[in-house]
């Protein structure tokens, strides 16, 4: 009975029409991301409304640094996703079981490491970023509590990566909904009733992450499918860990490199004061909804390409990329422009300060409208990673986006010290990087087809 129950959540990505299956995969994943951002937005809204602009700036100023510290480990979950999809598509059940065990054990170890990194690096790193004196103590407190929940975050991310690899994007959505409701309720209680400020928001987040992690683990240990997790005797298989590292570390390094450039940009925003920081935080939070809607196609590209690569259905990979690219452009154009046009109204949910709203609209005008370029770039990367190519997209992203932004900050921005100039580095880097990623995909794809003539 449990086996049938699990099967109904899985998707056969290797046979039949692709568009419908991609959308079935995409919609719950997109909704999961949107829900997660809504609950994160609740953090921002509650502190902005009930704890003031300094608390709002404090929560927002930690985002880039937090991403920098966790992205290596999140990258490993990409490696787990690719390998689980490949073993599942190839019907290699023993390899699949070992991979799931290794993924969850690695998640726990990574989460424990992150607790210590977050605690000891919070103050010196935020100080290096130029976080203002009226904000930094709140930022440090928020980060230290937030990082106490890292084992929960890692387990949920790795567990949901396993489920995504087999096409199950529905159950992670249900788990996030439950955890997110708890997060919102605790936010209101801790901040409004107990006046805990940023500490209350961080504590609520940790509690909700613990719930989502428990639910995804329960799902994995209760299924009778080959990806079942067995907690008793759970161990890391060295060969699976090595392969996960080979695929995941470059993905994590790419995310970390993006975060480094974003830390530099956040530092540059900080130089304009706490009001600009608050506007940047609120606008970034709104943009996150557009990014998440597009990023679900990146996840689809990884899982669909991974399963078809494992099943040796290579010709379907080109179709997967084309469909995902067309869909991501449509979603990015619609959502990005709607977000900008409604920017004034949306920003009022975060703050009533006209100056903060003005700064937020400035950012959204430059970033939201051409945001589809970021989606194009990510989908191309997802297809490459799904085929097991990890170093190439990392190097391209290092050069085309991260290095470009660093050069921009120390050259163009230094000459034209305005927020507009700073923000323009985003769309320009997306366009350039996508063009190179697309060329790389075409080279790799033709190489795979030549190596496997006559394979479907």
């Amino acid at each position: 009975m449990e086996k049938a129950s699990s099967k109904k959540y899985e998707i056969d990505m290797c046979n039949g029409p692709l568009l419908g299956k991609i959308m079935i995969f995409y919609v719950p994943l997109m909704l999961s991301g949107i829900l997660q951002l809504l609950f994160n937005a609740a953090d921002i809204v509650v502190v902005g409304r009930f704890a003031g602009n300094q608390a709002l700036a404090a929560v927002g100023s930690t985002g880039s640094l937090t991403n920098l510290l966790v992205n290596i480990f999140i990258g490993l979950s990409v490696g787990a996703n690719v390998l689980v999809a490949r073993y599942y598509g190839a019907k290699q059940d023993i390899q699949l079981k070992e991979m799931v065990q290794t993924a969850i054990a690695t998640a726990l170890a990574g989460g424990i490491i992150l607790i210590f990194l977050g605690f000891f690096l919070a103050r010196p790193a935020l100080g290096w970023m130029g976080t203002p004196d009226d904000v930094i103590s709140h930022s440090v407190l928020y980060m230290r509590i937030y990082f106490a929940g890292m084992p929960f975050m890692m387990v949920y991310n790795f567990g949901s990566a396993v489920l995504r690899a087999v096409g199950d994007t529905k159950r992670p959505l249900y788990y996030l909904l439950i955890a997110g409701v708890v997060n919102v309720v605790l936010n209101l209680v801790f901040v409004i009733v107990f006046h805990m400020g940023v500490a209350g928001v961080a504590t609520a987040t940790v509690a909700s992450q613990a719930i989502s992690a428990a639910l995804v683990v329960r799902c994995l240990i209760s299924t009778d499918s080959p990806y079942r997790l067995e907690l008793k005797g759970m161990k890391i298989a060295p060969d699976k860990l090595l392969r996960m590292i080979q695929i995941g570390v470059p993905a994590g390094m790419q995310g970390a490199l993006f975060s480094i450039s974003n830390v530099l940009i956040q530092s540059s925003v900080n130089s304009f004061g706490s009001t600009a920081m608050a506007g940047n935080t609120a606008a970034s939070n709104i943009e996150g909804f557009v990014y998440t809607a597009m990023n679900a196609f990146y996840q689809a590209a990884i899982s669909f390409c991974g399963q078809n690569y494992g099943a040796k259905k290579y010709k379907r990979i080109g179709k997967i990329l084309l469909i995902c690219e067309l869909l991501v452009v449509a979603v990015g154009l619609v959502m990005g422009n709607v977000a900008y046009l409604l920017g004034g109204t949306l920003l009022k949910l975060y703050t009533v300060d006209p100056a903060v709203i003005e700064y937020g609209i400035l950012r959204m005008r430059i970033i939201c409208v051409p945001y589809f370029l970021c989606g194009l770039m990510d989908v191309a990367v997802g297809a490459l990673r799904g085929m097991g190519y990890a170093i190439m997209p990392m190097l391209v992203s290092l050069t085309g986006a991260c290095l470009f932004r660093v050069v921009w900050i120390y050259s163009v921005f230094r000459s034209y010290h305005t927020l507009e100039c700073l923000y323009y580095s985003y769309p320009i880097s997306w366009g350039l990087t996508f063009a190179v990623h697309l060329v790389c995909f075409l080279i790799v794809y033709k190489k795979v087809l030549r190596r496997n003539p006559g394979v479907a």
Side-chain angles (χ1 to χ4, degrees), residues 9-11 13 18-32 81 160-161 163-170 295-304 307 324:
Y9 293 105
E10 299 166 18
I11 297 175
M13 303 178 184
L18 285 164
L19 178 59
K21 292 183 177 183
I22 287 174
M23 292 307 297
I24 291 171
F25 180 96
Y26 167 79
V27 172
L29 185 57
M30 181 269 293
L31 291 175
S32 295
N81 187 335
S160 60
L163 294 175
R164 281 198 309 273
V166 301
D168 183 0
T169 55
K170 292 180 181 177
N295 187 256
F297 289 116
Y298 159 76
Q299 300 290 348
I302 290 178
S303 295
F304 275 77
Q307 276 203 28
C324 288

Side-chain angles (χ1 to χ4, degrees), residues 152-153 156 175-176 179 207-217:
F152 304 129
M153 176 188 282
Y156 174 78
Y175 305 152
L176 271 180
S208 66
Q209 288 171 346
I211 292 171
S212 61
L215 289 170
V216 80
V217 168

Side-chain angles (χ1 to χ4, degrees), residues 415-432:
S415 300
Y416 303 94
H417 193 77
T418 65
L419 279 173
E420 293 98 322
C421 179
L422 182 65
Y423 291 146
Y424 276 124
S425 65
Y426 282 107
I428 295 172
S429 64
W430 295 330
L432 291 173

Side-chain angles (χ1 to χ4, degrees), residues 296-413:
F297 289 116
Y298 159 76
Q299 300 290 348
I302 290 178
S303 295
F304 275 77
C305 290
Q307 276 203 28
N308 281 277
Y309 193 89
K312 299 183 178 180
K313 300 287 185 73
Y314 302 121
K315 291 184 179 178
R316 289 170 65 87
I317 293 174
K319 296 176 183 177
I320 292 165
L321 177 71
L322 179 60
I323 292 171
C324 288
E325 293 285 29
L326 291 173
L327 290 172
V328 83
V329 168
V331 169
L333 280 173
V334 172
M335 290 193 64
N337 281 275
V338 168
Y340 169 63
L341 292 173
L342 298 178
T345 303
L346 295 172
L347 288 165
K348 287 179 183 176
L349 296 172
Y350 297 81
T351 179
V352 294
D353 189 331
V356 174
I357 292 173
E358 186 177 350
Y359 277 116
I361 291 175
L362 170 64
R363 177 183 167 106
M364 293 175 71
R365 174 173 59 82
I366 297 172
I367 292 179
C368 274
V369 175
Y371 218 174
F372 70 95
L373 293 171
C374 180
L376 284 168
M377 175 184 72
D378 285 347
V379 167
V381 172
L384 285 166
R385 286 184 179 150
M387 292 189 290
Y389 288 82
I391 301 294
M392 182 186 299
M394 182 198 72
L395 294 176
V396 172
S397 296
L398 168 61
T399 305
C402 305
L403 183 60
F404 174 87
R405 290 178 192 171
V406 172
V407 171
W408 182 279
I409 288 170
Y410 287 105
S411 58
V412 179
F413 176 64

